Amino acid sequence: MDLMVEASPRRIFANAHTYHINSISVNSDHETYLSADDLRINLWHLEITDRSFNIVDIKPANMEELTEVITAAEFHPHQCNVLVYSSSKGTIRLCDMRSSALCDRHSKFFEEPEDPSSRSFFSEIISSVSDVKFSHSGRYMMTRDYLSVKVWDLNMESRPVETHQVHEYLRSKLCSLYENDCIFDKFECCWNGCDSAIMTGSYNNFFRMFDRTTWRDVTLEASRENSKPRASLKPRRVCAGGKRKKDEVSVDSLDFSKKILHTAWHPAENIIAVAATNNLYIFQDKAN
């Protein structure tokens, strides 16, 4: 007989969500975790499967008054009473469970003021936050919207301390990305083990890495055609317009069906995992 590996659920935590769950985050106390959907965040005990506490509820009495939804949520890596959640309006709220059991009142509110000159029909859609991640140190958090990654200092709510453009060349293509629904894609982001670099995905099986100390960035491609085992990845460049150089890829030839939404970075080593459609790629630093 062939060896068959199958996953069997140890516990099933049920009946607490009406909408799709978008986030699960285990608390640093290792006893509780949160689950979030479009309108609610629930707190669970890992040993109790049949009940949870509702800690955030943004559902209005009249659903026609609904203006935003929760897009992601995460616990602080060290402070078990602190959590953040992001919204489709591009805002991030930090809540302290010590101040009240129902975290409807946030203790911090992070939002970057919009530049009126760049406002367009797509502004609200592309400002929606698709992912939020605390740094391992717990001092910063990173948010991903459609075109950029932002790093926030938890002590400064007014604006991010860093903004990294992921694929700014797509700004002129927003109309067609809206028509093919790609503008609603939810890209995730992640930190490396020492918080010095961040990574997120893009289209055409490209993924982006940003070095926070040198401010250098690179675009790499995860594809079967371009990556043989043990071969090193070559940086890729996208040509936004004008004359295309030999190694560059034209914006018009990007494949929007090939997208990297999920990425992960090993907590201690320079090893990354990249999910490209139905393929999982694992890359490691050449120095390893």
Side-chain angles (χ1 to χ4, degrees):
M1 286 282 289
D2 286 342
L3 177 67
M4 294 286 286
V5 178
E6 78 174 33
S8 54
R10 296 286 183 88
R11 299 188 189 105
I12 296 176
F13 299 81
N15 306 329
H17 287 283
T18 318
Y19 308 96
H20 288 301
I21 295 169
N22 57 44
S23 302
I24 288 178
S25 174
V26 179
N27 196 335
S28 58
D29 64 10
H30 298 300
E31 285 187 0
T32 55
Y33 74 92
L34 67 77
S35 59
D37 67 25
D38 286 354
L39 299 178
R40 293 193 177 98
I41 300 176
N42 293 326
L43 179 69
W44 301 81
H45 193 285
L46 287 164
E47 302 296 329
I48 302 169
T49 59
D50 59 351
R51 67 177 184 270
S52 62
F53 293 100
N54 179 231
I55 50 175
V56 174
D57 187 348
I58 65 165
K59 185 177 181 180
N62 178 5
M63 281 298 272
E64 287 177 7
E65 293 167 12
L66 184 69
T67 57
E68 63 180 330
V69 293
I70 297 167
T71 54
E74 191 182 46
F75 268 123
H76 192 279
H78 312 301
Q79 297 167 16
C80 61
N81 51 295
V82 172
L83 64 113
V84 291
Y85 68 91
S86 57
S87 94
S88 55
K89 279 195 164 172
T91 60
I92 305 98
R93 291 171 174 86
L94 184 139
C95 304
D96 188 340
M97 293 194 296
R98 286 182 308 193
S99 55
S100 70
L102 190 65
C103 299
D104 280 359
R105 286 204 191 95
H106 50 266
S107 46
K108 288 191 176 181
F109 182 76
F110 300 84
E111 181 179 31
E112 185 171 29
E114 190 187 30
D115 178 6
S117 64
S118 64
R119 178 145 186 85
S120 73
F121 171 75
F122 305 109
S123 293
E124 195 163 303
I125 303 172
I126 62 172
S127 67
S128 174
V129 174
S130 57
D131 197 17
V132 58
K133 290 270 167 60
F134 279 110
S135 63
H136 296 83
S137 68
R139 176 168 176 189
Y140 300 98
M141 68 177 172
M142 162 170 57
T143 59
R144 172 76 155 92
D145 56 45
Y146 191 63
L147 295 177
S148 65
V149 171
K150 291 170 182 162
V151 176
W152 303 77
D153 188 320
L154 293 190
N155 301 319
M156 187 167 86
E157 300 165 58
S158 56
R159 63 176 188 274
V161 288
E162 296 167 27
T163 300
H164 303 278
Q165 300 303 334
V166 177
H167 37 217
E168 184 62 22
Y169 47 79
L170 294 183
R171 195 175 284 276
S172 60
K173 297 263 177 266
L174 291 177
C175 201
S176 52
L177 290 163
Y178 178 75
E179 285 167 4
N180 65 14
D181 278 352
C182 285
I183 200 167
F184 302 106
D185 285 335
K186 306 268 181 274
F187 290 96
E188 293 174 4
C189 51
C190 62
W191 300 84
N192 71 340
C194 58
D195 300 333
S196 64
I198 54 185
M199 173 172 62
T200 191
S202 180
Y203 292 104
N204 210 60
N205 280 352
F206 288 171
F207 60 98
R208 302 270 284 136
M209 296 169 118
F210 303 93
D211 189 313
R212 298 179 59 220
T213 42
T214 62
W215 278 83
R216 293 219 304 263
D217 63 274
V218 67
T219 303
L220 300 169
E221 182 179 2
S223 71
R224 281 187 172 161
E225 299 80 56
N226 294 3
S227 58
K228 297 179 179 66
R230 305 275 166 214
S232 61
L233 294 175
K234 292 186 178 64
R236 311 285 281 161
R237 282 201 169 75
V238 177
C239 165
K243 199 164 178 212
R244 186 167 68 89
K245 294 187 186 139
K246 191 178 83 160
D247 294 338
E248 290 184 333
V249 181
S250 160
V251 175
D252 298 319
S253 64
L254 293 176
D255 187 341
F256 292 111
S257 66
K258 294 179 176 174
K259 53 192 94 169
I260 292 180
L261 303 178
H262 312 288
T263 56
W265 206 311
H266 191 286
E269 311 278 338
N270 253 343
I271 299 172
I272 59 167
V274 173
T277 321
N278 57 349
N279 296 308
L280 176 66
Y281 295 89
I282 294 179
F283 302 110
Q284 70 174 19
D285 194 10
K286 278 190 295 194
N288 285 345

